[in-house]
Amino acid sequence: MKNKKLMIPLFAFLASLTACESNDLPIQHADSYRYITFAARTQKMTTRADDRYESYDPVQRMHPKNMGVFGYYNFATHSFETTGTETGGKNHAIFDNIRVDYNTLTKTWSTKEEKRWDAYPNSNFDFFGYMPHSTEATLSKPSATESTYLLTIPFSMPAVNGNPSPILAQKDLGQAPIICAKPEHKGSTTAGGSDTTFGRVVTFLFDQTLTGYNLNFQLDQKMNAIRHFRIKGVKIYGKGLNDEGLATGGNVSRSYTWSNNEWTAKAIQWSNLNKVIITEENAIQLAKDKNSETPFTPVANESMDIDDSKYHRWGTTFYAIADASFVPTIAVTYDVILKDKKGVTVTRKDVTSTIILGNKYFETLNPAQTAAIYNINILIQPRYLYVLADQDAYTGHLLIQ
């Protein structure tokens, strides 16, 4: 029997978003009341609602175990320099990229060297935060005339099997940087720091910096009646947009402006990207089990039969640097199982089809959108491939050869 080329429809849409509320203020003890203490709420990757932050949970791997903090008193009234100093310096620095760790017993964040609020009487305060801590993080003031400050964090994707990787697994999300939604401003204390109405906890809201993707497969009812598909492997590789490679690291930054007695923040930006061409030989393999501890290392002979009942998830959620040129090739290897009138199964083995994930085929896909998870739903139909995204139809090209 001659192989016929079939086209597979692909649906790409932004994941629906949920939110949750919870009180994440740390337990405050009498002996720590006068010390500068921190709390954290993190953005959910699938969330874009107004209340999109959840309590810090050290059990979740998506939450780093430490944070970095820049802190200042009377910040808006002094001349800022890129090199911080301790109390009394030109920068009025309290913390100059200090590491802050989470204590699982007391459920509090604290610095190794504690600082007291009453050491800065009649002062107001501003704090910048990010996770996880990096000794190379910087806070700078690009313009001498504008009250805008730039928080920058270096980041490199964890290597996979010793090779550079453009994607990061769900289990490793805690290694990815997150950055504060805006600086935390605290009003003035009274002399001696005895004002009981003064908020003693610096509560940061942290935003995610990566973009997530899920791969799902389903058979059309007509296809299910005549053919069955067994997914056997999924690989990711490619040259990226304009053959410049796929980002494996760079600097993530965010600028904040102080105006009218409040902070505003601009969008998260990536720069100085290190891009590497990932060859088919060094492709990243996505394992079958979405809960796998090693989602980039499939076990031998793993496979997944798909039908028309629902979308079947292949692999764990994977994440990439928010870069518009993230256009990798997704290669799917599968068996096509045909049944003749006598019920004898005839299998076409190890067929591989590819598609480029990017705006070339998916016009509503936005790889540069942080904190979003895109469901890439592959619906296998006879002969045709359609792409549906936000109720609009586009054409893609994933062929069964």
Side-chain angles (χ1 to χ4, degrees):
M1 178 179 294
K2 295 183 179 180
N3 294 344
K4 294 183 179 180
K5 288 188 176 181
L6 302 176
M7 302 187 73
I8 304 177
L10 221 132
F11 295 73
F13 59 88
L14 191 61
S16 61
L17 305 174
T18 59
C20 69
E21 293 185 3
S22 58
N23 180 7
D24 68 329
L25 292 181
I27 300 173
Q28 291 296 297
H29 302 284
D31 59 351
S32 65
Y33 177 76
R34 293 185 178 274
Y35 294 99
I36 299 176
T37 309
F38 300 91
R41 292 173 66 88
T42 60
Q43 185 180 32
K44 300 177 70 176
M45 285 296 295
T46 56
T47 298
R48 64 181 175 186
D50 289 337
D51 186 9
R52 61 187 186 275
Y53 297 94
E54 61 183 349
S55 297
Y56 177 86
D57 184 353
V59 177
Q60 295 189 41
R61 293 181 174 179
M62 65 182 63
H63 292 163
K65 296 294 190 293
N66 55 70
M67 73 171 80
V69 175
F70 294 87
Y72 304 89
Y73 68 99
N74 297 333
F75 187 61
T77 61
H78 68 80
S79 176
F80 181 79
E81 296 177 358
T82 56
T83 302
T85 56
E86 284 299 321
T87 303
K90 293 182 179 179
N91 281 344
H92 293 202
I94 304 173
F95 302 119
D96 181 26
N97 192 25
I98 193 72
R99 172 170 170 157
V100 186
D101 293 299
Y102 185 78
N103 188 316
T104 56
L105 296 178
T106 62
K107 298 182 180 181
T108 60
W109 293 88
S110 60
T111 61
K112 186 175 182 180
E113 296 182 5
E114 295 181 310
K115 298 294 181 72
R116 297 170 64 96
W117 291 107
D118 58 11
Y120 315 94
N122 302 311
S123 298
N124 57 69
F125 304 86
D126 293 277
F127 299 92
F128 301 74
Y130 66 93
M131 293 185 189
H133 177 262
S134 169
T135 57
E136 298 178 0
T138 60
L139 181 68
S140 60
K141 190 174 186 293
S143 173
T145 59
E146 298 180 3
S147 296
T148 297
Y149 305 85
L150 185 68
L151 178 57
T152 303
I153 314 160
F155 172 70
S156 294
M157 287 282 192
V160 175
N161 298 325
N163 297 315
S165 174
I167 59 178
L168 179 145
Q170 173 77 30
K171 72 180 184 68
D172 296 322
L173 190 57
Q175 300 181 41
I178 57 179
I179 195 167
C180 62
K182 61 181 181 179
E184 176 74 358
H185 180 75
K186 308 293 288 185
S188 178
T189 61
T190 60
S194 60
D195 185 0
T196 58
T197 64
F198 179 75
R200 300 286 164 163
V201 181
V202 179
T203 303
F204 285 119
L205 301 180
F206 288 105
D207 288 344
Q208 303 285 352
T209 62
L210 301 182
T211 304
Y213 301 88
N214 293 322
L215 291 179
N216 310 295
F217 296 89
Q218 182 178 356
L219 279 182
D220 179 82
Q221 290 183 348
K222 294 180 179 179
M223 176 64 77
N224 195 54
I226 59 176
R227 288 180 176 85
H228 300 271
F229 281 72
R230 179 168 294 146
I231 307 298
K232 300 174 70 175
V234 177
K235 293 182 178 180
I236 294 179
Y237 59 92
K239 299 179 179 180
L241 189 65
N242 300 323
D243 296 338
E244 60 187 8
L246 302 174
T248 60
N251 291 331
V252 60
S253 61
R254 194 173 212 172
S255 64
Y256 309 95
T257 299
W258 177 258
S259 180
N260 297 322
N261 292 321
E262 66 176 355
W263 286 104
T264 57
K266 290 187 177 180
I268 295 170
Q269 300 290 330
W270 285 87
S271 61
N272 298 327
L273 294 178
N274 179 33
K275 296 193 175 185
V276 177
I277 294 176
I278 308 298
T279 65
E280 188 172 358
E281 291 73 22
N282 293 328
I284 308 300
Q285 300 186 64
L286 297 181
K288 171 188 172 184
D289 186 0
K290 67 180 181 180
N291 296 317
S292 173
E293 291 296 312
T294 55
F296 295 154
T297 308
V299 298
N301 301 319
E302 71 173 0
S303 63
M304 180 177 68
D305 291 347
I306 58 174
D307 55 30
D308 61 356
S309 64
K310 62 179 181 179
Y311 279 103
H312 299 259
R313 172 77 59 83
W314 178 275
T316 183
T317 303
F318 64 92
Y319 302 87
I321 289 175
D323 175 28
S325 61
F326 180 70
V327 286
T329 295
I330 298 178
V332 183
T333 301
Y334 51 89
D335 292 343
V336 181
I337 303 172
L338 307 176
K339 291 185 178 180
D340 60 19
K341 294 181 179 179
K342 296 181 181 181
V344 178
T345 300
V346 180
T347 304
R348 212 160 18 121
K349 284 185 171 295
D350 297 327
V351 182
T352 298
S353 297
T354 63
I355 190 169
I356 296 177
L357 179 65
N359 288 333
K360 180 177 181 180
Y361 300 124
F362 311 108
E363 295 184 19
T364 60
L365 188 67
N366 183 10
Q369 178 66 51
T370 59
I373 295 180
Y374 289 85
N375 275 330
I376 307 302
N377 290 341
I378 302 176
L379 178 63
I380 303 175
Q381 289 181 331
R383 302 188 61 185
Y384 299 103
L385 180 148
Y386 300 96
V387 178
L388 298 182
D390 295 337
Q391 300 182 352
D392 294 323
Y394 304 99
T395 301
H397 304 282
L398 180 60
L399 302 179
I400 294 181
Q401 302 170 349

